[in-house]
Amino acid sequence: MNSKLTRENVIRWAPALVLLGLVVLFTAINPAFLTQRNLARIALAATPPMMVALGVTFIIVMGSIDLSMEGAVSLCAVLFCLIFLKLGGSLGAGAWLAIPAILICGALYGLLTGYVHVRLQIPSFMASLAMGFVGTGAAVLVTGGDIVRINDDVFRALLTWRILGFPLMVHIAILLILLAWFIQNHTTLGRNFYAVGGGEELAHASGVNVRRVRLAGFALAGVFYAIAAIFQVARLGQAESVTGANLMFIAITSVVVGGVALWGGIGGVLNAVVGVLIVNVIGNGMVVIGLPSYLQDGLLGVLVIIAVVLSTDRRLVSFAK
């Protein structure tokens, strides 16, 4: 094994080692951190941002960025509640149709974001940021600023029904992670994401329809945002125009911390998973060890910077912008 290969392996496993180090650190300070109850709490809190992070990972791998997730989640959440109630307010009464309906809405929302970016040739950060505001505004419009609640016990089983100590939605999230990993590694679309992220002109010369791949990527991301919206509703029992608030920071930070390169072509689903767990472990750990709340945000920022430094191969970065 030569030194270059050893360094690559260290960089590859750095996010996982950071996660393991954090778990050991917080457990050493307070053994209650590693109890099943607390791990279930971490997993539950990580579930919605995990879905958002999976969606935006496909976009970042293509070398673009998507900042529309907060508006997308808020709009999908309120639409899901409204459709759910319109169909009887119970999964057993036919309201289950709200699930595929909202997944289609999420895909269309993502497709529209991609269209604005690709067809109108607007930079992805600006197009998606604008579409995020459109989504939030639309959520306010359809609800009139009110809160929409769901009281169906069957639907809330996503939160209340536990298997091996973990809520049902955590197990579903694991299956969705495997699905995202399969799309990334075993489909033509997943391989094309990396081709576009590695070099758009080269991908085009190789016969890849770059525009179509980008549109598909945004639509796929929209589906995962819609799933995040369903999980948020299951956790909260309600939806409103700010249901998706704060998900953008957590998702983008998690993806970068996990080792997905913002310039595209590097990283993937598993990096995003580790990144989300790192951010949530840091947040939970600070609570468990009793750190004052006024210090938590500042320390979270410092720890995130340290995690990025440890998990990024800066030899591959010519400059930071």
Side-chain angles (χ1 to χ4, degrees):
M1 180 180 294
N2 58 45
S3 57
K4 181 179 178 181
L5 182 59
T6 300
R7 191 175 191 282
E8 290 175 346
N9 283 333
V10 170
I11 293 297
R12 177 184 302 173
W13 290 101
L17 294 175
V18 169
L19 176 60
L20 179 61
L22 288 169
V23 171
V24 172
L25 172 64
F26 288 126
T27 303
I29 297 175
N30 186 348
F33 176 84
L34 206 56
T35 60
Q36 185 187 54
R37 183 174 183 179
N38 191 54
L39 294 179
R41 188 179 296 118
I42 294 173
L44 181 62
T47 301
M50 183 75 75
M51 295 300 103
V52 175
L54 292 179
V56 79
T57 293
F58 294 124
I59 306 298
I60 293 178
V61 165
M62 290 192 297
S64 299
I65 191 68
D66 188 352
L67 305 179
S68 70
M69 60 277 286
E70 291 188 356
V73 170
S74 295
L75 180 59
C76 288
V78 297
L79 288 178
F80 174 75
C81 287
L82 293 173
I83 296 172
F84 193 94
L85 295 175
K86 189 71 175 180
L87 293 175
S90 173
L91 285 179
W96 63 270
L97 288 172
I99 296 176
I102 211 61
L103 296 183
I104 294 173
C105 287
L108 292 176
Y109 186 95
L111 190 62
L112 180 60
T113 302
Y115 183 88
V116 173
H117 163 49
V118 174
R119 295 296 181 182
L120 302 184
Q121 297 186 346
I122 298 175
S124 58
F125 80 95
M126 183 56 68
S128 59
L129 184 63
M131 284 299 299
F133 285 116
V134 170
T136 302
V140 176
L141 182 65
V142 298
T143 62
D146 294 333
I147 296 174
V148 187
R149 292 183 171 83
I150 288 180
N151 297 315
D152 180 32
D153 291 336
V154 180
F155 175 68
R156 294 303 303 279
L158 283 171
L159 174 67
T160 59
W161 189 22
R162 292 180 176 251
I163 301 174
L164 301 177
F166 291 83
L168 176 60
M169 72 167 68
V170 173
H171 297 275
I172 295 176
I174 293 173
L175 294 178
L176 292 169
I177 290 170
L178 294 175
L179 175 62
W181 176 83
F182 179 83
I183 294 173
Q184 171 192 282
N185 292 300
H186 297 285
T187 67
T188 301
L189 180 62
R191 289 190 289 272
N192 284 342
F193 288 155
Y194 284 94
V196 173
E200 187 171 323
E201 293 183 358
L202 181 60
H204 180 73
S206 301
V208 176
N209 189 324
V210 175
R211 288 189 171 187
R212 187 173 298 174
V213 170
R214 289 196 183 279
L215 289 172
F218 276 93
L220 182 60
V223 173
F224 278 96
Y225 300 160
I227 296 170
I230 296 173
F231 285 158
Q232 280 286 68
V233 173
R235 287 184 62 210
L236 304 173
Q238 64 184 39
E240 55 183 319
S241 58
V242 295
T243 298
N246 298 323
L247 286 176
M248 182 170 69
F249 170 77
I250 297 175
I252 297 294
T253 300
S254 300
V255 170
V256 175
V257 167
V260 180
L262 286 174
W263 53 92
I266 298 176
V269 168
L270 296 183
N271 296 87
V273 172
V274 173
V276 171
L277 293 178
I278 288 175
V279 172
N280 280 274
V281 163
I282 291 175
N284 178 276
M286 289 190 295
V287 174
V288 170
I289 65 177
L291 198 70
S293 58
Y294 62 88
L295 291 177
Q296 292 181 14
D297 289 342
L299 185 58
L300 174 62
V302 173
L303 292 176
V304 165
I305 292 173
I306 294 173
V308 171
V309 169
L310 294 176
S311 60
T312 302
D313 187 355
R314 285 176 296 284
R315 293 189 311 173
L316 301 176
V317 185
S318 57
F319 62 94
K321 60 181 179 179

